[in-house]
Amino acid sequence: MNNFKKFHYLGCLVLALPLAGNAQPQSTAEEELTELYGSEEFVRIATGVAQPVSKAPAVATVITADDIKKMGATDIDEALETVPGLHVARSALGYNPVYTFRGMFSDVNPQVLMLINGIPLTNLYVGDRNVSWGGMPVEAISRIEVVRGPGSAVYGADAFAGVINIITKTPAEMNGLSMGVRAGSFDTRGGWLQYGGVSDEFRYGAIVEAHKTDGQRERMSADAQSFLDLVSGTSASLAAGPVSLRRDNLDARFELGYRNLTFHGGAQIRDDEGVGIGIAQALDPKGGVSSDRYNADLTYDNTTLTDTLGIKVQGSALFTTQEVETTCICFRPAPGDPFSLRWGHPFSRRFPMA
């Protein structure tokens, strides 16, 4: 090796020594970043254990309450629409959200699992979140964790497209009494009231949110009834006319805690919700559905049972109802001829929705 090459290698080695001396272990660097930016970008739903998003064995996104506030979202769907690879589509029935991960779509959306504080919010009949979902307000949300991709290894078959975990605010985050009201177009009005705090070993917090609206009045130029009118020479369709998206929602969340015990309770009450373009995609301005969802869970979490052993025990319950509030019509009868036997009219009857 000639002298020039030796000198070159020696120089590179000398320059590298200060860098090597200043190098820090990866864990130390992560700790410093955590101290600087906080630990909000940790995700639990990927494996069931809290870990940085960068280390999670899944494509994960975390949306914090501060993120929601900055984007101005008032409903969870508005926040989820900002997640790359997740599109919030709409079904014809009630314009319910369809969470489409990487293009995977189905009308009732059973392949996406939604959790509240790690507890599934799933209707077991078809695996959806009920026909009368009615949206979900965001004031009670502390953070939203989203896994874009299969989560069935941890959560079962309902999670093979993705998982959405909604974590509610703790009493410490509520920290006292606060309230707010809002109003908007389409006769929209709502408000929220929350109170929470920590006293010695007790934790307590509750939030109530109300929302009522007539819904946006998108006009449909034609519907399924229009086709029946075309082939049978009738004029029963209400098109062109507006879709029915009225809502009357009440949401409540509360948390009680004592030492290692934590109790969560929640209620989502939907009253006389509009059916969008109609249950058979024929305009129905009067039909309405309602639902009640109540969930509760009790958790005992002791991470210091011994020096090397912790224990966590959890029990949960979910109760849902879904029913017709105002009679829904699949297809309307022709004016003045409600029992016509002409083609298409045997379907012109009122049907309760099971």
Side-chain angles (χ1 to χ4, degrees), residues 252-316:
R253 304 282 169 194
F254 66 91
E255 178 180 328
L256 297 174
Y258 176 69
R259 294 187 178 179
N260 297 319
L261 281 172
T262 303
F263 177 78
H264 291 106
Q268 294 175 268
I269 301 173
R270 306 292 180 257
D271 183 37
D272 195 26
E273 181 184 338
V275 292
I277 196 174
I279 63 174
Q281 299 189 29
L283 290 174
D284 179 12
K286 296 182 178 180
V289 294
S290 63
S291 75
D292 296 331
R293 284 182 291 275
Y294 302 98
N295 66 283
D297 61 85
L298 179 64
T299 303
Y300 175 80
D301 189 4
N302 187 349
T303 58
T304 58
L305 186 64
T306 68
D307 292 339
T308 58
L309 180 66
I311 184 172
K312 181 176 182 179
V313 181
Q314 186 176 68
S316 64

Side-chain angles (χ1 to χ4, degrees), residues 16-30:
L17 286 176
L19 298 177
N22 293 331
Q24 294 178 323
Q26 186 175 1
S27 60
T28 303
E30 289 179 353

Side-chain angles (χ1 to χ4, degrees), residues 19-323:
L19 298 177
N22 293 331
Q24 294 178 323
Q26 186 175 1
S27 60
T28 303
E30 289 179 353
E31 290 173 1
E32 291 182 355
L33 289 173
T34 298
E35 293 177 359
L36 181 62
Y37 295 106
S39 59
E40 290 182 318
E41 294 303 316
F42 278 59
V43 63
R44 181 180 294 272
I45 60 172
T47 60
V49 178
Q51 57 191 150
V53 172
S54 60
K55 285 190 172 183
V59 182
T61 299
V62 177
I63 305 173
T64 66
D66 189 52
D67 295 332
I68 294 173
K69 183 177 181 179
K70 288 178 180 178
M71 70 179 68
T74 60
D75 187 89
I76 189 173
D77 295 338
E78 297 171 359
L80 291 175
E81 188 66 79
T82 65
V83 177
L86 168 58
H87 173 58
V88 183
R90 297 289 170 179
S91 68
L93 181 53
Y95 279 26
N96 285 312
V98 178
Y99 302 124
T100 305
F101 284 87
R102 298 170 178 172
M104 188 175 294
F105 178 92
S106 67
D107 199 45
V108 295
N109 208 203
Q111 70 273 20
V112 175
L113 180 64
M114 178 170 281
L115 312 169
I116 294 183
N117 296 316
I119 307 299
L121 190 69
T122 303
N123 184 334
L124 296 181
Y125 182 57
V126 293
D128 65 351
R129 292 161 293 279
N130 281 355
V131 171
S132 48
W133 168 244
M136 183 175 181
V138 298
E139 291 298 334
I141 297 176
S142 172
R143 53 197 277 124
I144 306 170
E145 300 177 348
V146 181
V147 168
R148 307 189 302 278
S152 298
V154 179
Y155 296 103
D158 290 338
F160 74 85
V163 185
I164 302 169
N165 186 28
I166 302 162
I167 301 173
T168 57
K169 290 180 179 178
T170 64
E173 289 176 299
M174 295 180 187
N175 191 27
L177 176 66
S178 60
M179 64 185 72
V181 295
R182 61 170 61 98
S185 54
F186 308 113
D187 200 20
T188 300
R189 60 272 194 202
W192 52 272
L193 174 68
Q194 75 174 24
Y195 180 75
V198 179
S199 177
D200 295 328
E201 296 180 324
F202 289 93
R203 306 178 300 277
Y204 48 88
I207 181 168
V208 178
E209 303 173 78
H211 177 79
K212 189 170 185 178
T213 181
D214 289 340
Q216 55 101 342
R217 311 298 290 171
E218 178 187 1
R219 295 183 64 83
M220 306 298 295
S221 59
D223 62 2
Q225 183 72 56
S226 300
F227 172 75
L228 297 180
D229 289 343
L230 180 65
V231 298
S232 60
T234 59
S235 57
S237 174
L238 296 178
V243 296
S244 176
L245 296 177
R246 64 184 184 275
R247 295 181 184 177
D248 190 353
N249 298 351
L250 180 65
D251 290 73
R253 304 282 169 194
F254 66 91
E255 178 180 328
L256 297 174
Y258 176 69
R259 294 187 178 179
N260 297 319
L261 281 172
T262 303
F263 177 78
H264 291 106
Q268 294 175 268
I269 301 173
R270 306 292 180 257
D271 183 37
D272 195 26
E273 181 184 338
V275 292
I277 196 174
I279 63 174
Q281 299 189 29
L283 290 174
D284 179 12
K286 296 182 178 180
V289 294
S290 63
S291 75
D292 296 331
R293 284 182 291 275
Y294 302 98
N295 66 283
D297 61 85
L298 179 64
T299 303
Y300 175 80
D301 189 4
N302 187 349
T303 58
T304 58
L305 186 64
T306 68
D307 292 339
T308 58
L309 180 66
I311 184 172
K312 181 176 182 179
V313 181
Q314 186 176 68
S316 64
L318 172 66
F319 175 78
T320 68
T321 67
Q322 182 171 269
E323 57 190 33

